[in-house]
Amino acid sequence: ARGLSMLSLLRPKALRKGDLVAVMPLSGGLDEGEASLFEHGVGAIEQMGFDVRVSTLVDLQRRWWWAAAPPREVAEEFNDLLRDPQVRAIFALTGGRMALSYLDLIDLAAIRADPKPLLGFSDISALHLALHSRISLVSVHADLVTHGFGYWNECDATRRKQLTDIYMRVLTSDSAPGDLPTSSRWECWRSGRAQGPLVGGMLNRLVRVQATPYALSPEHFDGAILFWEEAFTSTATVWNDLHVLRHAGVLDRIVGMVVGYPVEVEPTEGGPGTLREVVLDVLGEREIPVLGNVDVGHDPPNVPMPLGVRAEMDADAVRLSLLEPAVITS
């Protein structure tokens, strides 16, 4: 079979109700005006049945440049949580602009010894991708505590139940989580069906990680479903980043693509008006299915996307399903 085998993945241990989970500013810190989002986010995690420990770095008084603390201090706190046997998962507080700075300071041996679910998106993609590359960790591209779980209270009861159910299946069950809950904005951008392991994150973070020693190998993209999202940029920038992946051979290895709902991706003057046109232009004649406007990225709530887990996409039916567990119970 193409791609990495299921057996080579480092799956975290499943969570159980009552487990202690940590909230950690793995990138940005807590900003003014985010206190209520933070409280709602912690509340949503607690309502799933987990006890929450908040890192001491989550403090409105803590500030270092665009982060809560310098890279070494953030890495030390992260490593302490990774080594603490009581902490069973780590939820990223928010996104930001610093995760790339401490990839070389993470205690990989601690993760291997006691793998735990790691959740977040945006800048946290750099951590997901680097850890997946280095030790095949199944981490979860998912909601942030503030910009993510912080919005769950605004969802209607049906959507909130759908989100709770899928997150609980991903985090606590050793059976396949199944279909991800769709929303009305999901679109078929190119028809077809595909199966393969999920790999991806924020597009510009993926491109940057690929320029480091933490780059994913070509084999990580063999037979994979590439998911990505982008925000606060232009269609020309996305077009160029997708061409970087084309030059690297990524687009010739993947079997499907899932594109998150774009946030403030402004049309570049003189170019196409939609992200769909950009994507299809770069893909060219490659006949791979594409799902667009999926709930992945900067317009949360997000559906959870565990890296390395096999998924099935049916673009015509506008469906995406997780075929394998993200965690193990033993």
Side-chain angles (χ1 to χ4, degrees):
R2 296 175 73 206
L4 301 179
S5 77
M6 177 177 174
L7 295 177
S8 67
L9 293 174
L10 181 61
R11 282 178 164 76
K13 292 170 186 166
L15 294 182
R16 293 176 296 192
K17 289 209 171 184
D19 274 353
L20 179 68
V21 302
V23 173
M24 165 78 198
L26 290 163
S27 188
L30 188 63
D31 289 337
E32 294 287 346
E34 290 184 340
S36 64
L37 275 181
F38 170 66
E39 289 170 11
H40 286 309
V42 170
I45 297 167
E46 288 175 337
Q47 285 187 348
M48 283 193 283
F50 306 120
D51 289 338
V52 177
R53 177 198 293 175
V54 179
S55 163
T56 56
L57 297 182
V58 179
D59 185 339
L60 284 171
Q61 309 309 313
R62 295 296 301 256
R63 179 69 55 215
W64 182 85
W65 289 12
W66 42 78
R72 185 165 295 280
E73 193 173 340
V74 172
E76 286 172 357
E77 173 85 355
F78 187 29
N79 288 334
D80 285 346
L81 296 175
L82 293 172
R83 296 168 188 145
D84 187 337
Q86 288 188 301
V87 173
R88 301 317 313 150
I90 300 170
F91 289 69
L93 171 72
T94 190
R97 301 172 183 85
M98 81 165 312
L100 284 158
S101 68
Y102 62 86
L103 297 180
D104 52 340
L105 302 177
I106 299 171
D107 186 348
L108 299 181
I111 300 176
R112 283 196 188 97
D114 184 14
K116 307 169 184 185
L118 169 67
L119 291 86
F121 72 90
S122 191
D123 194 41
I124 309 306
S125 291
L127 299 179
H128 292 317
L129 293 162
L131 295 174
H132 193 59
S133 167
R134 276 298 167 95
I135 57 176
S136 299
L137 180 68
V138 177
S139 59
V140 189
H141 187 279
D143 274 334
L144 299 159
V145 175
T146 53
H147 297 281
F149 292 107
Y151 299 116
W152 280 30
N153 65 303
E154 299 174 15
C155 297
D156 62 48
T158 300
R159 188 62 176 172
R160 180 152 185 171
K161 184 178 188 308
Q162 289 176 338
L163 290 166
T164 300
D165 286 351
I166 189 60
Y167 272 82
M168 291 300 284
R169 292 204 299 274
V170 166
L171 294 174
T172 69
S173 174
D174 63 356
S175 58
D179 286 355
L180 296 174
T182 62
S183 66
S184 59
R185 65 188 184 188
W186 291 32
E187 293 177 349
C188 173
W189 285 1
R190 177 173 277 162
S191 67
R193 297 176 66 170
Q195 277 190 23
L198 292 172
V199 62
M202 195 172 190
L203 180 60
N204 73 74
R205 296 307 195 268
L206 170 59
V207 168
R208 291 172 187 176
V209 167
Q210 289 305 99
T212 74
Y214 302 91
L216 295 161
S217 70
E219 290 72 28
H220 280 100
F221 299 101
D222 269 342
I225 294 174
L226 175 68
F227 73 92
W228 60 270
E229 58 97 10
E230 197 47 278
F232 319 121
T233 187
S234 69
T235 52
T237 299
V238 172
W239 186 78
N240 277 290
D241 280 349
L242 289 174
H243 274 295
V244 170
L245 297 185
R246 182 182 66 81
H247 288 306
V250 169
L251 302 186
D252 294 319
R253 292 176 177 272
I254 63 173
V255 297
M257 182 181 285
V258 173
V259 183
Y261 187 81
V263 173
E264 294 183 37
V265 178
E266 301 298 331
T268 301
E269 186 177 352
T274 69
L275 193 62
R276 178 180 182 273
E277 292 174 272
V278 168
V279 170
L280 296 181
D281 181 70
V282 180
L283 284 178
E285 300 302 310
R286 295 170 182 83
E287 293 184 6
I288 65 170
V290 183
L291 271 175
N293 291 343
V294 174
D295 298 306
V296 172
H298 282 74
D299 189 22
N302 273 271
V303 293
M305 303 283 276
L307 273 71
V309 165
R310 286 186 66 80
E312 179 177 60
M313 62 181 291
D314 184 335
D316 301 279
V318 195
R319 178 174 163 268
L320 185 59
S321 185
L322 302 178
L323 303 179
E324 295 174 351
V327 293
I328 55 172
T329 54
S330 56

